[in-house]
Amino acid sequence: QVQLVESGGGLVQAGGSLRLSCATSGRTFSSYAMGWFRQAPGKEREFVAAISRSGGYTYYADSVKGRFTISRDNAKSTVYLQMNSLKPEDTAVYYCAATYSVVVRTKPYEYNYWGQGTQVTVSS
């Protein structure tokens, strides 16, 4: 069992930056590929970014490519999402998730564990 706890959300003006963190429990963090998803009110949960077990491979949704960066620190059992040049349409609850998969995944059902989410609000 893995527990995920997100932090770092908040209110920011358009063009600003935020850094989300997701701390995990257990000693097997490096056994999971990790992902970030988001869900805006009235919308389905959507993929944002994913990172491989070692951190050597990352993948992004087109909507955030070039603005967001996912990274991980296996020694600290933590995954990060650096968000720059934020836009109002980035407003959502952001979730981190862990998957047993060897490769990165982009669909919510492909992930085994989820955090409780952290709110990100970008004002125009």
Side-chain angles (χ1 to χ4, degrees):
Q1 187 75 13
V2 176
Q3 292 185 329
L4 311 174
V5 180
E6 302 97 334
S7 61
L11 174 64
V12 64
Q13 289 188 332
S17 298
L18 282 174
R19 188 194 196 203
L20 305 184
S21 299
C22 174
T24 71
S25 63
R27 297 178 293 175
T28 59
F29 179 70
S30 60
S31 300
Y32 300 96
M34 301 296 295
W36 284 97
F37 290 77
R38 66 187 181 187
Q39 188 166 18
K43 295 189 177 181
E44 293 187 350
R45 191 168 298 189
E46 66 171 355
F47 170 77
V48 175
I51 189 166
S52 62
R53 293 174 173 181
S54 67
Y57 181 79
T58 57
Y59 187 75
Y60 299 91
D62 288 343
S63 59
V64 306
K65 200 173 297 181
R67 300 188 297 123
F68 290 11
T69 302
I70 188 172
S71 61
R72 66 189 295 162
D73 185 336
N74 285 350
K76 295 183 178 180
S77 299
T78 301
V79 62
Y80 305 97
L81 185 68
Q82 178 67 45
M83 305 186 295
N84 299 329
S85 302
L86 282 162
K87 305 175 181 180
E89 51 263 44
D90 294 319
T91 295
V93 177
Y94 282 71
Y95 299 89
C96 72
T99 175
Y100 293 120
S101 174
V102 175
V103 298
V104 298
R105 298 293 185 181
T106 63
K107 300 295 191 294
Y109 66 81
E110 296 173 315
Y111 283 77
N112 303 98
Y113 302 102
W114 291 85
Q116 83 290 348
T118 186
Q119 177 69 47
V120 171
T121 303
V122 184
S123 63
S124 57

